[in-house]
């Protein structure tokens, strides 16, 4: 049965050693608070989870541990890969393990055409049977989904949702309205880019795919509940309160900052996979200062 993705989908890092071996106990320590906070789903092996840097075997180890830790909580798992056949195998692994859905990005070295991306999704959906969420992340894939392509993909059996980068606040309502015109009823419209996601959610977006939700789930849930209850001013206030952290996300990238947060919070001391470098001592202190300012430590 297909899942409808809504509320807070929390995206944690995937702690691993220098050889790419997933630290399962550390991953469990990251996931346990998400389950306790009552997030709506866990986004495992997303971009924050550094999925392209991990082997198929390690991605399966992370997924198995995540599913065991999460219990009945749905897990949306990244299944993107350079080759379509590899993405199929990853999606088949996820389906066999019991993931609720796969997050599929058009990862490629050579720029892809709309037709190539369409065939990629058709093949992965058909060969795996795993419900798929379109992952529109042009900052890393250098491919942006047009409205026409989203409309075509939404008609593929098993393609159930899209994770879009949030537009600027003033464009949130129009962006959502344009998407609604091209997808069928029951198709989940969700957003990422934490500091911009509040307005699409207020405008009626279904799901917030959140980096901060993967490390500070209580705050993410507070924002989502405020939106769900129609307390939009409170949701905006909570979002504005996090501006010191959003500033660092924009300055250093959310990935590097959240690795530092996990270390500062004593959850795990993992470093991002090379060639990505951890924050310098000075930048890490800025993270500490921001967390102290917003009273997260």
């Amino acid at each position: 049965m297909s899942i409808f993705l809504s509320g807070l989908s929390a995206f944690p890092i995937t702690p691993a050693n220098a050889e790419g071996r997933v630290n399962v106990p550390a991953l469990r320590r990251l996931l346990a608070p998400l389950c306790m906070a009552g997030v709506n789903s866990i986004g495992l092996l997303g971009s924050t989870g550094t999925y392209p840097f991990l082997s198929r075997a390690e991605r399966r180890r992370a997924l198995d541990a995540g599913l065991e830790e999460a219990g009945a909580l749905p897990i949306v798992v990244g299944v993107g890969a350079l080759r379509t056949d590899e993405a199929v195998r990853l999606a088949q692994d996820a389906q066999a393990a019991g993931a609720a859905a796969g997050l599929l990005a058009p990862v490629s070295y050579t720029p892809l055409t709309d037709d190539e991306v369409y065939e990629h999704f058709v093949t992965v959906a058909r060969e795996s049977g795993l419900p798929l969420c379109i992952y529109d992340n042009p900052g890393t894939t250098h491919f942006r989904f047009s409205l026409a392509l989203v409309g075509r993909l939404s008609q593929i059996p098993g393609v159930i949702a899209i994770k879009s980068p949030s537009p600027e606040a003033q464009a949130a309502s129009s962006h959502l309205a344009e998407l609604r015109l091209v997808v069928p009823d029951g198709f989940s419209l969700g957003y990422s880019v934490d500091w911009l996601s509040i307005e699409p959610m207020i405008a009626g977006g279904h799901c917030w795919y959140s980096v901060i939700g993967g490390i500070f789930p209580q705050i993410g849930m507070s924002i989502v509940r405020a939106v769900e209850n129609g307390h939009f001013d409170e949701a905006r206030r909570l979002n504005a309160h996090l501006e010191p952290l959003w500033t660092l996300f924009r300055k250093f990238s959310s990935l590097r900052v959240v690795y530092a947060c996990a270390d500062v919070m004593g959850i795990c001391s993992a470093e991002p996979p090379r060639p990505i470098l951890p924050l310098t001592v000075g930048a890490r202190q800025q993270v500490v200062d921001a967390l102290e300012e917003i009273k997260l430590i």
Side-chain angles (χ1 to χ4, degrees), residues 75-265:
I75 285 188
V76 182
V77 61
V79 295
L82 279 169
R83 293 176 57 93
T84 297
D85 55 359
E86 181 64 13
V88 166
R89 286 188 286 270
L90 290 165
Q92 289 171 336
D93 288 348
Q95 171 74 352
L103 189 63
L104 182 58
V107 184
S108 184
Y109 180 81
T110 300
L112 298 175
T113 68
D114 281 12
D115 286 342
E116 288 166 341
V117 171
Y118 179 80
E119 291 300 326
H120 184 63
F121 272 80
V122 166
T123 303
V124 176
R126 182 186 65 239
E127 298 298 322
S128 71
L130 180 71
L132 296 177
C133 175
I134 301 165
Y135 189 7
D136 188 0
N137 189 12
T140 59
T141 64
H142 309 294
F143 180 89
R144 185 174 290 278
F145 288 82
S146 66
L147 284 170
L149 180 57
V150 172
R152 290 176 67 195
L153 293 173
S154 71
Q155 301 300 320
I156 298 171
V159 177
I160 62 165
I162 185 169
K163 174 182 184 284
S164 297
S166 297
E168 294 296 329
Q170 64 272 16
S173 293
S174 60
H175 185 273
L176 190 61
E178 289 171 347
L179 283 175
R180 282 178 172 148
L181 289 174
V182 300
V183 302
D185 292 341
F187 193 88
S188 174
L189 303 175
Y191 288 87
S192 61
V193 187
D194 275 1
W195 59 91
L196 293 174
S197 294
I198 185 72
E199 293 303 326
M201 292 297 289
I202 288 173
H206 300 123
C207 191
W208 177 19
Y209 297 96
S210 173
V211 175
I212 198 174
I215 190 74
F216 300 114
Q218 293 285 2
I219 290 181
M221 286 303 299
S222 294
I223 293 173
V224 167
R225 290 190 183 113
V227 172
E228 290 174 344
N229 291 326
H231 301 153
F232 301 149
D233 288 344
E234 174 64 6
R236 291 184 176 110
R237 184 193 69 79
L238 290 169
N239 188 65
H241 178 69
L242 296 173
E243 182 55 36
L245 200 55
W246 300 151
T247 297
L248 296 183
F249 275 23
R250 292 189 291 267
K251 183 176 181 180
F252 299 119
S253 83
S254 60
L255 175 65
R256 295 181 181 90
V257 172
V258 79
Y259 266 89
C261 288
D263 187 18
V264 169
M265 300 298 295

Side-chain angles (χ1 to χ4, degrees), residues 14 21-22 57 63 95 101 143 172 196 255 284 297:
T14 309
R21 178 80 170 171
V22 173
L63 177 57
Q95 171 74 352
F143 180 89
L196 293 174
L255 175 65
R284 186 179 183 279
I297 56 173

Side-chain angles (χ1 to χ4, degrees), residues 3 5 9 11 41-45 74-78 100-103 133 209:
I3 181 177
L5 295 170
S9 189
F11 279 63
S41 63
I42 292 174
L44 198 66
L45 299 172
I75 285 188
V76 182
V77 61
L103 189 63
C133 175
Y209 297 96

